[in-house]
Amino acid sequence: MGSQVSILALAMLALAPAEESLGEVAARVNTRLVKIYGSGGVKGLPGYGTGIIVSPDGHILTAANHLPDSSDLRVHMADGTRLAAKVIASEPELDAALLKIDDKHAAGDLPFFDISKASKSPALAPGTGVLAFSNQFQIATRDEPMTAQRGVVAALAPLYGRIGVFEAPYTGPVYVIDAITNNPGAAGGALTTRKGELVGIIGRELRNDQTQTWINYAVPLNAAVPSRGAQGRVLTLAELVDKKEKYRPSGRPDRAERTGDWNVRTGWVLVPQVIDRTPPFIEEVEPNSPAARAGAKPDDLIVYLDGAPVPTISTLRDILDKYRPGDKVQVEVRRQDRLHTLVVELEPPPKPVTPR
């Protein structure tokens, strides 16, 4: 009887599927990732990153950092193919962007991660083993495999992070990882289970706002945060991926971001905020606007508002949030090599146009 049981047990073991090795899991995950190359030459900002393929047609989920703002965005596939890409959607509240491979011959049958399905899985508990895949330090190009790291979920906690002097845009729960995963180039990488199931997207390099230490973290795929720009709306990564080109980001429209016209109307249009510390240069001045009547001109650099220094576009937005229509603000701009003082009388913001 005992020998029969032993034979039956051996037969069942022979029929059971063999568990994949770490190398096999890494090889499979690697086919669903890309290396991203874009804006370079800015001191302190790497011109490379990581992305996750999320559709057979070549849609790529990545972090909403400086790379998607590049006019020359390229991706390297796992087989070494080099292709152009473009940004089709972005969600600042989730710090995520969606790219699309700009090559119809290369898309259509790509291996990918199903975000809608993966986002329905329950959150990982602390102590769960995970794998982190990314192109940190530009260790891989063309067909070279991504970095693969083993770690454990140390905690699932709200993100209190900073990029320099600025707070991170995403403040929801994140997986805190006990591996050094968030290095230059890692943003947009994949966090998976030990079986290669996608569970999160690796974030940017951030310092903890409370301890001033670097954070190794990933945003869970089931992250859901309330929109700051539309009451009652909840934002998810799955929605960003599912809607693709039809996705509409939260918050203020792009032109309002570049004019500051959410509380008041100024009439200046600033240069795009390509990096977090972009100086507030005026790109154009709207006719018959407060800025135009005050004498503002394109290429003026806003230096002070009522005596307060304005080093970046983000600082300018924060200061303007405190003003209301009818207020007069003294604006000092640098024009060529001289400072000019302008008095801008702020107007009510333009009413949004309701589509018919």
Side-chain angles (χ1 to χ4, degrees):
M1 183 67 178
S3 61
Q4 291 178 341
V5 174
S6 299
I7 293 172
L8 179 60
L10 289 173
M12 292 177 66
L13 286 172
L15 293 173
E19 190 170 325
E20 284 184 298
S21 67
L22 175 59
E24 291 170 330
V25 170
R28 177 164 51 81
V29 171
N30 193 71
T31 62
R32 292 163 170 79
L33 303 178
V34 298
K35 303 101 176 174
I36 301 176
Y37 295 89
S39 306
V42 180
K43 185 176 181 181
L45 296 177
Y48 53 91
T50 313
I52 304 168
I53 302 175
V54 292
S55 84
D57 296 323
H59 291 89
I60 298 166
L61 183 65
T62 188
N65 54 14
H66 62 286
L67 282 181
D69 289 314
S70 172
S71 58
D72 182 24
L73 200 59
R74 307 175 307 282
V75 298
H76 291 184
M77 310 297 288
D79 63 0
T81 305
R82 181 186 177 197
L83 300 171
K86 59 183 179 181
V87 181
I88 63 168
S90 182
E91 180 45 74
E93 301 291 342
L94 293 167
D95 206 12
L98 193 65
L99 316 181
K100 176 69 167 63
I101 294 173
D102 198 15
D103 190 323
K104 61 182 179 180
H105 301 293
D109 193 27
L110 296 173
F112 69 100
F113 283 108
D114 187 336
I115 298 294
S116 294
K117 181 179 179 181
S119 63
K120 296 175 183 177
S121 300
L124 299 182
T128 305
V130 290
L131 301 173
F133 299 90
S134 72
N135 191 24
Q136 59 180 334
F137 299 122
Q138 198 178 355
I139 201 167
T141 58
R142 290 300 180 95
D143 63 347
E144 294 174 323
M146 299 282 195
T147 297
Q149 296 173 278
R150 283 196 288 188
V152 172
V153 175
L156 179 62
L159 179 63
Y160 298 100
R162 281 188 174 273
I163 308 170
V165 298
F166 302 104
E167 293 184 1
Y170 175 74
T171 57
V174 296
Y175 291 124
V176 181
I177 314 300
D178 74 338
I180 303 175
T181 55
N182 295 58
N183 280 309
L191 186 75
T192 76
T193 65
R194 294 288 174 91
K195 295 181 179 180
E197 301 159 327
L198 187 66
V199 294
I201 175 172
I202 297 173
R204 308 197 216 183
E205 298 170 80
L206 297 179
R207 283 187 179 273
N208 187 298
D209 200 19
Q210 298 176 328
T211 64
Q212 299 305 312
T213 56
W214 293 103
I215 314 170
N216 295 292
Y217 74 98
V219 178
L221 292 186
N222 57 9
V225 297
S227 169
R228 299 177 191 174
Q231 290 186 347
R233 184 182 174 196
V234 176
L235 312 169
T236 66
L237 288 172
E239 179 190 9
L240 172 64
V241 173
D242 289 343
K243 290 188 175 181
K244 300 180 175 65
E245 288 88 347
K246 296 181 180 179
Y247 185 82
R248 293 295 176 264
S250 66
R252 306 146 185 152
D254 179 67
R255 191 166 186 82
E257 284 285 354
R258 294 174 60 191
T259 59
D261 290 349
W262 47 89
N263 286 330
V264 294
R265 182 186 181 219
T266 60
W268 56 52
V269 180
L270 305 176
V271 297
Q273 187 173 358
V274 178
I275 59 176
D276 294 309
R277 296 191 62 83
T278 302
F281 279 98
I282 297 175
E283 185 173 87
E284 62 178 282
V285 179
E286 296 175 340
N288 196 31
S289 67
R293 289 191 290 272
K297 296 183 179 180
D299 296 330
D300 281 353
L301 172 64
I302 299 173
V303 182
Y304 298 100
L305 254 67
D306 281 343
V310 187
T312 66
I313 290 176
S314 296
T315 306
L316 176 62
R317 291 173 184 158
D318 291 340
I319 295 175
L320 280 178
D321 272 342
K322 302 173 183 177
Y323 289 85
R324 293 295 177 265
D327 291 345
K328 292 184 179 180
V329 56
Q330 182 174 295
V331 183
E332 292 186 58
V333 300
R334 190 180 73 193
R335 186 177 301 161
Q336 296 180 348
D337 294 327
R338 297 182 59 187
L339 283 178
H340 295 262
T341 301
L342 315 176
V343 178
V344 179
E345 185 172 353
L346 304 172
E347 295 180 349
K351 294 181 180 180
V353 178
T354 304
R356 295 180 178 179

